[in-house]
Amino acid sequence: DSSMYGVKHHARIALKVDGSVLGLVNADNLITGRPITYEDIVPLFPFVHEAAIAVRNAQLLAERENDIQIQNRLATLATAINANHDLNDILTMFREALVEVVGFERANIWLYDERRKIWQGHGSTISEEEGLLKSVFSASELEELGLLAVATGTLPYQVASLASPIPEDSITPDNEALVHAGIALRLGEAPLGIVILDNRKSGIPITETSLHKVLPFADQVAVAIENV
């Protein structure tokens, strides 16, 4: 049942743009069985290169359209959040937007308690049975995670992600945090809290680009929190 059954000679040409492989073009002579030589495929190179450019342009256009849709949905949600004066509702809407609209797999929020100098957990987009990564973070614990500068409002965001997922049976609060990234909740330089995101299940790295797109939304949520 293999798609290559009976094929004796075939060639593959990479669809590449600026060193990035977008796909492969496969060619064969299944019917005639005629050998394929390098000289046979050389004339295809310019055509395949142009096709690769067209594919990449289509991908960029789709990404741009998706970004516009996300920003429009976040703007609508920000209006609803700012009209709400219930802290739990605001945080729930924020968490759900980060997962359902932006596409992160989990979002946890900790708000800064200035009197106690701790960050208190305020819910997660995962199941109640699984719970938060931690209910409370100290400054030293956040520093170990590489996220203290975000939690204190010094940095707007910080990436601390892995390229591959951690096996389910070996996840602990310490190593699970390695697949996280943080976004600051702050007013100016004053820290209000931190949202910690992860793609733990898929292991897909979180990029700075994906975080940067969320910053205006996070800033509006911070204002809503302060106004409660």
Side-chain angles (χ1 to χ4, degrees), residues 81 86-99 104 106-113 118-126 131-137 142 147 150-151 180-186 191-198 214 217-222 224-226:
I81 287 173
D86 183 273
L87 180 61
N88 288 331
D89 287 348
I90 291 170
L91 297 180
T92 297
M93 293 170 70
F94 183 37
R95 290 193 307 268
E96 291 179 350
L98 292 171
V99 173
F104 299 112
R106 181 169 61 167
N108 295 299
I109 297 174
W110 285 264
L111 296 184
Y112 183 53
D113 185 330
I118 61 170
W119 286 259
Q120 181 71 49
H122 280 266
S124 169
T125 50
I126 59 175
L132 281 162
L133 175 64
K134 285 176 68 72
S135 59
V136 175
F137 271 120
L142 285 167
L147 296 176
V150 177
H180 289 163
I183 295 178
L185 291 171
R186 60 183 183 175
L192 294 181
I194 181 173
V195 53
I196 300 182
L197 309 160
D198 74 62
V214 179
F217 182 52
D219 288 343
Q220 293 183 65
V221 171
I225 293 171
E226 181 67 10

Side-chain angles (χ1 to χ4, degrees), residues 49-67:
H49 179 64
E50 291 298 321
I53 293 175
V55 169
R56 184 57 183 146
N57 287 340
Q59 290 177 335
L60 291 173
L61 180 60
E63 290 171 4
R64 177 174 173 77
E65 291 176 348
N66 184 60
D67 286 345

Side-chain angles (χ1 to χ4, degrees), residues 13-208:
I13 306 172
L15 289 165
K16 293 177 64 175
V17 176
D18 297 329
S20 298
V21 177
L22 306 180
L24 291 172
V25 175
N26 192 77
D28 65 61
N29 289 330
L30 172 62
I31 296 176
T32 65
R34 181 172 59 85
I36 297 177
T37 67
Y38 181 75
E39 287 72 22
D40 291 331
I41 64 173
V42 167
L44 294 176
F45 290 167
F47 174 69
V48 172
H49 179 64
E50 291 298 321
I53 293 175
V55 169
R56 184 57 183 146
N57 287 340
Q59 290 177 335
L60 291 173
L61 180 60
E63 290 171 4
R64 177 174 173 77
E65 291 176 348
N66 184 60
D67 286 345
I68 292 173
Q69 291 178 3
I70 288 175
Q71 292 305 321
N72 288 339
R73 291 181 66 185
L74 291 181
T76 300
L77 285 168
T79 300
I81 287 173
N82 279 295
N84 198 307
H85 298 289
D86 183 273
L87 180 61
N88 288 331
D89 287 348
I90 291 170
L91 297 180
T92 297
M93 293 170 70
F94 183 37
R95 290 193 307 268
E96 291 179 350
L98 292 171
V99 173
E100 297 173 10
V101 178
V102 184
F104 299 112
E105 292 175 11
R106 181 169 61 167
N108 295 299
I109 297 174
W110 285 264
L111 296 184
Y112 183 53
D113 185 330
E114 187 173 6
R115 183 180 64 81
R116 300 166 63 196
K117 306 299 181 186
I118 61 170
W119 286 259
Q120 181 71 49
H122 280 266
S124 169
T125 50
I126 59 175
S127 66
E128 292 297 327
E129 292 78 10
E130 194 173 351
L132 281 162
L133 175 64
K134 285 176 68 72
S135 59
V136 175
F137 271 120
S138 66
S140 61
E141 288 171 325
L142 285 167
E143 187 171 19
E144 289 177 5
L145 302 184
L147 296 176
L148 182 59
V150 177
T152 57
T154 304
L155 292 177
Y157 59 81
Q158 183 72 44
V159 178
S161 59
L162 288 178
S164 58
I166 298 171
E168 257 332 295
D169 59 359
S170 64
I171 292 175
T172 69
D174 291 331
N175 65 22
E176 186 185 60
L178 293 174
V179 299
H180 289 163
I183 295 178
L185 291 171
R186 60 183 183 175
L187 286 176
E189 296 300 320
L192 294 181
I194 181 173
V195 53
I196 300 182
L197 309 160
D198 74 62
N199 291 331
R200 192 195 71 191
K201 291 183 178 180
S202 68
I204 297 174
I206 295 176
T207 65
E208 291 192 3

